[in-house]
Amino acid sequence: MAVPPGPSHVPGVSSSAPTCFRHPDRETYVSCVRCGRPACPDCLRSAAVGQQCVECIREGNRGTRVAAAPFGGTVAARPVATWTLIALNVVMYIAEIAYPKVIDYGQMVGKAYDLKLNELVGVAHGEWYRMISSAFLHYPLSGGVFGILHILFNMYALYIVGPALEHMLGHLRFVAVYLVSALGGAALFYFLARPYAPAIGASGAIFGLFGAWFVLSKRLRLDARMIVSLIVINLVISFVGASFIAWQDHIGGLIAGAALTAAYVYAPVRNRTAIQLSATVGIVALLVAATVLRDHLLAHATIYGITS
């Protein structure tokens, strides 16, 4: 019976010298601290104590669990999504200053004849993108009572509540709550406000984050009095300044953000991701259905002009 050649049969290698278990033609006197097999420098990696071979490192990585956020997804060690959203809002504000018509093209309006653009505009005219684009626009520097305070307040609120929510929900779920809140605010504004009334601002999304924080506080049995006070104060301000504040947007965002967050944090562990995804799709579908219904109601509405 033929005997297969082992390391001792490799030309140029001493029969008494140990060889690398992956490269039989290489002599080595170093072994992996984990499995004990001799290995050459190319097959070893530095470890906390000694060196481990690449095979042991690969095997160990297979059993390493990725840290998960409390309600699914990976842990958001850094609030990347929060900073990205703030950056997008700031960039759009700079764009408004450089080209004021950005507001005319992106503001939320149901159906109207824009005297500046000299054309028919609005969600009912097929410009559904306005329901999201309006959430990244704010009153310009010449915006009278608001001016730059509009974006400063919204971005400060996002800076305060965003990182904690993103850490608890994870990047994707946090962004989903933000965008669905913005969509919910726009949908309620579209349904209740005059079709030719314009609106801009991230307030609907911010109110959605307030609602999310309230739900999260209740789920974790934390003191929610501070966030409740914040919500009440801002709602009062919304109604007091109803002539120039889109209170419909605030309430719609608050409801949508709280509802979606409740679906996220109260979903059972089993099939949690599927349930959370279904809840997200379901709420978005409901908002889309409400928008389509409003489209039909405005199909034959009288058109008024907007100048802002």
Side-chain angles (χ1 to χ4, degrees), residues 267-286:
V269 176
R270 185 176 182 181
N271 299 322
R272 178 164 56 189
T273 301
I275 294 172
Q276 292 172 339
L277 179 60
S278 299
T280 305
V281 173
I283 292 177
V284 171
L286 181 63

Side-chain angles (χ1 to χ4, degrees), residues 35-50:
C35 66
R37 292 178 294 185
C40 66
D42 290 340
C43 297
L44 291 171
R45 300 291 182 270
S46 296
V49 179

Side-chain angles (χ1 to χ4, degrees), residues 99-189:
Y99 186 64
K101 280 193 175 181
V102 168
I103 295 179
D104 300 307
Y105 286 115
Q107 66 186 348
M108 177 62 200
V109 60
K111 185 178 183 182
Y113 190 85
D114 194 314
L115 300 179
K116 285 186 178 179
L117 300 178
N118 196 30
E119 62 184 19
L120 186 66
V121 299
V123 176
H125 190 57
E127 298 174 340
W128 281 45
Y129 68 87
R130 290 177 178 269
M131 301 184 72
I132 292 295
S133 64
S134 59
F136 290 91
L137 301 174
H138 292 82
Y139 286 102
L141 293 172
S142 58
V145 178
F146 281 110
I148 198 171
L149 292 178
H150 190 207
I151 187 172
L152 286 179
F153 173 80
N154 283 336
M155 294 305 99
Y156 178 72
L158 179 54
Y159 168 77
I160 293 298
V161 302
L165 283 173
E166 186 176 352
H167 178 75
M168 297 299 292
L169 297 176
H171 301 303
L172 292 179
R173 289 162 180 78
F174 170 74
V175 172
V177 170
Y178 186 91
L179 294 179
V180 169
S181 298
L183 184 61
L188 193 61
F189 178 84

Side-chain angles (χ1 to χ4, degrees), residues 169-237:
L169 297 176
H171 301 303
L172 292 179
R173 289 162 180 78
F174 170 74
V175 172
V177 170
Y178 186 91
L179 294 179
V180 169
S181 298
L183 184 61
L188 193 61
F189 178 84
Y190 183 39
F191 215 89
L192 298 181
R194 295 169 297 177
Y196 54 87
I200 54 177
S203 300
I206 298 302
F207 266 81
L209 297 186
F210 289 164
W213 188 250
F214 170 75
V215 171
L216 196 62
S217 297
K218 301 300 290 184
R219 176 66 175 83
L220 298 176
R221 298 181 180 180
L222 302 176
D223 188 352
R225 287 177 295 181
M226 184 180 70
I227 191 64
V228 170
S229 300
L230 186 61
I231 292 172
V232 171
I233 291 173
N234 281 277
L235 285 177
V236 170
I237 294 175

